[in-house]
Amino acid sequence: MGKTSNKAEAPDFSAMPMAAAMAAVNPVGMSAWKQIMDESSRFVSERFEQDVELQKAMLGCSSPQELFQLQSEFYTKAVQDYTAEATRIFEMMTKATQDTMKEATASHARKYDDVPL
């Protein structure tokens, strides 16, 4: 199963005016949103291909036992894939939240112990 790259690329929202406006306000958040949407699209596409392959394999089954074995293997792998994808999306969202918070925190903010007395 392929994973998305962690490249920091600037997404192009020129075709979507509302997204472009939101990207201007929060570029880090919009970039994270795009990465999550890209990953979701990749996963759905990959799972759809596996669904089609299952249907082809089911048409070639010659016995009920073969069909049940095929379905069992398919559903076991599907659960593993969905679990891995949920973990991947959770990690992406956690990183996006951390990055957005870093961006929102002023770089010139004073620390607790640097207040002059």
Side-chain angles (χ1 to χ4, degrees):
M1 173 186 322
K3 292 184 181 177
T4 57
S5 63
N6 290 334
K7 294 180 188 173
E9 61 183 49
D12 179 21
F13 296 111
S14 58
M16 300 175 283
M18 185 62 158
M22 290 169 54
V25 173
N26 187 355
V28 174
M30 284 302 293
S31 178
W33 172 78
K34 183 184 179 307
Q35 290 174 354
I36 290 170
M37 292 299 105
D38 289 345
E39 172 61 19
S40 297
S41 297
R42 181 208 59 82
F43 179 75
V44 168
S45 176
E46 188 176 289
R47 288 298 315 162
F48 181 74
E49 289 175 15
Q50 292 176 15
D51 292 350
V52 170
E53 290 301 316
L54 172 69
Q55 291 175 10
K56 289 179 185 177
M58 287 171 63
L59 291 172
C61 288
S62 58
S63 69
Q65 292 81 12
E66 188 179 351
L67 176 65
F68 293 141
Q69 180 65 32
L70 191 65
Q71 288 176 327
S72 176
E73 291 168 0
F74 175 81
Y75 288 120
T76 299
K77 184 172 181 332
V79 168
Q80 292 170 347
D81 289 352
Y82 278 97
T83 301
E85 184 65 9
T87 301
R88 193 173 302 117
I89 293 293
F90 178 76
E91 289 169 353
M92 292 174 78
M93 291 177 76
T94 300
K95 183 181 180 317
T97 301
Q98 292 169 345
D99 292 348
T100 302
M101 292 306 295
K102 284 180 194 172
E103 186 73 19
T105 304
S107 61
H108 61 277
R110 298 187 74 139
K111 305 281 189 264
Y112 174 76
D113 59 349
D114 71 352
V115 177
L117 298 174

